[in-house]
Amino acid sequence: MLRLKVKVERIDGSKTINVIAIANSGFIGSKPEILLPDHIVRELKLHEIRTPQASIKISGDGREIPLIRYSEAVNVYVIEEDRVEGPVLSDVLSISGIKNILLNDKLLGKLGIVLLDFGEGTWCFRDELGVKKRSSA
């Protein structure tokens, strides 16, 4: 499993959080999306800058999952000791009862993340391919 240190920042720059997120290539979308637990959405006070919209995602097993979407509400960065990559403007999806923060395929691509080994959790930035290997957070 690939875990990344990320910074999530409201688009107005007034609130940020640093968290560990899971890179989930099975979380597909048509644009960059980050799935956040309700308590983080409340901490960022996204309702102050975006009107929440009801949304439905289809899970890998075909179930419909009701979500709340905040369109283009945050900038997402990957934070490493030697560099920061981002910002990438992203939608926020929220669902009650989740613990993990997930990054979708489009967001990972825009951040330049390349997964090298699923089992080992090794990865690199696209411009480091064949040069550097990073470990999961």
Side-chain angles (χ1 to χ4, degrees):
M1 181 183 313
L2 178 56
R3 297 178 195 276
L4 299 168
K5 296 174 199 166
V6 298
K7 177 171 88 170
V8 181
E9 174 185 66
R10 266 179 39 158
I11 58 165
D12 64 4
S14 67
K15 296 191 181 297
T16 63
I17 58 162
N18 292 318
V19 293
I20 301 295
I22 297 172
N24 191 335
S25 60
F27 174 18
I28 59 173
S30 59
K31 56 186 179 174
E33 297 170 328
I34 183 169
L35 182 66
L36 294 175
D38 288 341
H39 73 277
I40 292 177
V41 170
R42 286 191 303 274
E43 183 179 333
L44 290 170
K45 298 183 180 181
L46 295 181
H47 67 279
E48 293 179 349
I49 58 168
R50 291 289 185 259
T51 302
Q53 305 161 331
S55 185
I56 298 287
K57 275 280 189 191
I58 306 299
S59 70
D61 63 4
R63 289 181 294 138
E64 288 186 354
I65 301 170
L67 303 164
I68 301 297
R69 176 183 300 274
Y70 296 87
S71 296
E72 298 183 343
V74 297
N75 285 311
V76 179
Y77 303 78
V78 172
I79 309 295
E80 282 293 299
E81 293 169 3
D82 61 336
R83 73 189 270 187
V84 174
E85 200 62 41
V88 174
L89 183 61
S90 180
D91 284 8
V92 170
L93 300 177
S94 180
I95 185 171
S96 60
I98 63 164
K99 296 178 190 173
N100 294 319
I101 295 163
L102 303 178
L103 309 175
N104 84 339
D105 60 345
K106 293 291 190 270
L107 180 53
L108 292 166
K110 296 272 187 196
L111 289 167
I113 305 299
V114 176
L115 181 61
L116 300 174
D117 187 296
F118 285 99
E120 298 294 320
T122 55
W123 65 283
C124 67
F125 289 106
R126 189 175 294 117
D127 62 357
E128 299 172 333
L129 197 55
V131 177
K132 189 165 190 167
K133 185 191 280 190
R134 296 176 182 271
S135 295
S136 188

